[in-house]
Each structure stands twice: as C-alpha cells, then as structure tokens.
Amino acid sequence: MLQAIEEYKPQDATTNPSLILAAAKMAAYQHLVDQAIKYGIAKGGPEEEQVTNTMDKLFVSFGLEILKKIPGRVSTEVDARLSYDKDEMVSRALGLIALYEEAGIKKDRVLIKLSSTWEGIQAGRELEEKHGVHCNMTLLFSFAQAVACAEAKVTLISPFVGRIMDWYKENTAQKSYEAHEDPGVISVTKIYNHYKKYDYTTVVMGASFRNTGEVKALAGCDLLTISPGLLGELSKDHSTVTPMLTVQKAKACDLEKVHLDEKEFRWQHNEDRMAVEKLSDGIRKFAADAIKLETMIKEKMLNVKNGQ
C-alpha cells in the first residue's frame, strides 16, 4: 500500500476496511497493529470498547503513514456497521478527527468516509455544518444518492464505476461494454453534469475502476481514485487523453434540477435495483472485513494481556 504511494506519488489517498484488513496482516505493518492494541488497552473500559478504540487508532495510524507520503488528504472510513445510525457515525467521525489532531494533523487534511445511506448523508451534513469536518461519501451508486449528497453540501462524493458495470454483467445479457456505453461511466457522467450545471460545490471523485478505458472515459472529472495496478497500466499508455467531462458540456446538458427530501430519496433510490443491491452488498462486505479485523485484534489483545 505505502510502496505504491511512493511509486505513483498521488495527490490524495483513500483507505477502506478491506484495504486496512489486508495491510494489517502484513509483517511490515505489525508495529502499527501492536501500537494500536497498546493504545486500546491503555484507554481501558470493557473489551468491546477497547477493541473499538484499537480499530479507530489503527485506521488513523495507517492514515498518518499515508499523510507522510502525500501532499493532500487521506480518507478514513467510519465503521460500515454504523451505516444506518446517524448520531453514532457523527460520534465516531469526531473521534477519528480527534486522534488525527492528537497526532498533529489538522482536520482539513482528512476526509471522513461515510456510506451513502440517507443516515450517512445526514451525518455528513452535520459533520460539515456543525464541526467543519470534511466528508467523502462512498458506496454511491444511484443518482438519488448523488443529489442528496449535493444538497447536504458534503465536500466530496465517490461514485462507483466498476461495481456498477459488474452488476450489469451479472444481471443482464450484455457481458462486455465499450467505455462510452459502460453503465458506470454513464452514471458518473450524469452526476458530474448535474453538479456542474447547477453549481454544486461537492467534488466528484470517480472510484472503483475495472479498466483504463473507464478511467479515460471520465477524464476531466474533478478527481479520480485509481488502484496502483491501473496506474501502472496508464503509465505505459502514451495515447493522447482528451477531457470527456467539461463544465461547458455540463452547462449545455438538459438535466432538470432535482430536490429530494427523505421520502423522495428513499423512493428514487429504491427504484434503482442495481444501486439498492450494490449499496447493501458494499456495506455487508466492509462490515464483514471489519469483523475479521476485530477478531484478529481480539486474539492479539489477549496475547498481550497474557504477556505472550
């Protein structure tokens, strides 16, 4: 993870529970796991609380390592199991920010990643408005989610591209897509155009790419978060890249302005079967990896407490 950052020198970087789980298993990062466990035990309280504090400390520790290597911001994710609990998401987010600030990192270098449920989006609104905490709304698959995020005035959204295409390949007769007809590319293009046409300040950062064609089809998007593997492919690709998304094109498009209250959001999102299934699936997968990480931490914690 950190080697890839050194190699490709991105502006910003993002983490998620699955990436942290994978990294926590690597020998190179055991010192971060050990430090987090010592912190969790020292904070005291019941075992569950110690594990939660250890998890948050570990997520921030990885974030701090990344911030040493990039000029911009790191995204740190709130536990996906809180995706339907607005107040608890706000509380955990503020805890993460406090840990960064204790380490000397100002909150403007951190993006708090939240699931784009209605509750997550409203947690984002509260964090931005009341606490000046910048949010990155993830697991975003529907236009309704994007509209609600813009209206909540969150800093940034991460609309998914590849995972949308995955769903269409699995659930329709079409098994391959050219970049211009890729349903994930079409989704992010519509979101970008809507945001720019109506002057929303929320940044659009395309995410979850499956191939370089998708990346190039979204050239011109505010930001893109790209895996090290695809960055490697792109570094060998010397073809000319033309911006496909522009403010001028967005201003000229014929999208209607949309306002969504909670009832309308839930209805519109529910009308998009792909988005409903992928949001639920994404939350379940991140939650499963969080549980695996917790299990690993509990075992190590027990060893530390037993003096092993």
Side-chain angles (χ1 to χ4, degrees):
M1 181 164 76
L2 294 172
Q3 291 90 326
I5 289 170
E6 280 181 11
E7 185 177 350
Y8 295 110
K9 297 183 172 47
Q11 171 73 22
D12 305 298
T14 184
T15 61
N16 65 43
S18 306
L19 292 172
I20 300 282
L21 173 66
K25 291 176 180 172
M26 296 178 190
Y29 304 123
Q30 282 319 294
H31 65 292
L32 297 181
V33 178
D34 295 341
Q35 284 165 13
I37 287 169
K38 279 185 191 150
Y39 171 87
I41 292 170
K43 288 279 280 186
E47 187 197 34
E48 286 304 311
E49 204 175 302
Q50 290 183 28
V51 171
T52 297
N53 286 332
T54 299
M55 292 266 283
D56 284 354
K57 180 69 171 174
L58 184 60
F59 275 53
V60 170
S61 296
F62 275 110
L64 292 169
E65 291 300 310
I66 290 168
L67 285 170
K68 290 175 189 172
K69 299 178 189 301
I70 60 169
R73 300 180 291 198
V74 71
S75 290
T76 297
E77 191 144 346
V78 167
D79 193 322
R81 290 169 291 178
L82 303 175
S83 295
Y84 300 99
D85 186 335
K86 175 181 82 86
D87 293 341
E88 198 55 38
M89 278 186 273
V90 170
S91 172
R92 284 290 282 278
L94 293 174
L96 292 168
I97 291 294
L99 285 171
Y100 274 111
E101 288 182 334
E102 278 171 31
I105 297 295
K106 292 193 170 77
K107 62 187 175 187
D108 61 2
R109 289 201 70 199
V110 181
L111 287 166
I112 293 293
K113 253 176 127 172
L114 300 164
S115 302
S116 298
T117 55
W118 177 259
E119 295 80 4
I121 295 165
Q122 300 318 308
R125 181 195 293 274
E126 188 170 315
L127 285 162
E128 299 268 3
E129 272 180 18
K130 292 189 181 169
H131 304 284
V133 169
H134 300 299
C135 298
N136 168 356
M137 304 308 302
T138 190
L139 296 176
L140 195 152
F141 300 96
S142 71
F143 187 63
Q145 288 174 296
V147 169
C149 286
E151 294 196 308
K153 296 185 169 70
V154 297
T155 296
L156 183 146
I157 61 166
S158 294
F160 282 30
V161 181
R163 288 199 206 185
I164 290 180
M165 183 179 68
D166 295 345
W167 188 91
Y168 278 91
K169 282 182 174 178
E170 285 164 19
N171 291 281
T172 68
Q174 192 162 341
K175 300 303 172 196
S176 69
Y177 291 88
E178 292 299 315
H180 69 275
E181 60 176 1
D182 184 311
V185 170
I186 291 167
S187 170
V188 175
T189 301
K190 181 181 178 183
I191 291 165
Y192 174 91
N193 286 343
H194 184 74
Y195 276 26
K196 300 307 172 202
K197 184 175 177 75
Y198 295 109
D199 299 314
Y200 290 113
T201 54
T202 299
V203 171
V204 180
M205 180 170 77
S208 104
F209 292 99
R210 294 290 176 262
N211 54 63
T212 58
E214 288 180 329
V215 176
K216 291 195 280 189
L218 290 172
C221 193
D222 297 330
L223 294 171
L224 300 173
T225 180
I226 305 167
S227 68
L230 289 180
L231 285 173
E233 284 183 47
L234 286 165
S235 69
K236 298 184 185 81
D237 181 343
H238 301 299
S239 60
T240 306
V241 176
T242 312
M244 303 305 286
L245 276 54
T246 67
V247 175
Q248 288 80 0
K249 280 190 202 171
K251 291 286 185 193
C253 78
D254 59 359
L255 289 167
E256 294 283 316
K257 190 162 190 178
V258 183
H259 163 68
L260 299 179
D261 60 11
E262 181 179 352
K263 292 190 287 289
E264 193 60 25
F265 165 84
R266 291 191 186 283
W267 178 258
Q268 295 286 351
H269 179 70
N270 193 63
E271 285 288 277
D272 187 336
R273 183 183 145 210
M274 173 279 297
V276 171
E277 291 178 11
K278 293 309 284 184
L279 173 61
S280 299
D281 181 56
I283 289 170
R284 277 195 301 272
K285 283 180 173 153
F286 281 160
D289 282 343
I291 291 165
K292 284 179 195 162
L293 186 56
E294 271 188 353
T295 305
M296 191 175 99
I297 284 168
K298 280 178 188 168
E299 283 173 19
K300 287 179 179 287
M301 218 173 226
L302 200 60
N303 291 341
V304 170
K305 287 175 180 173
N306 292 339
Q308 290 176 4

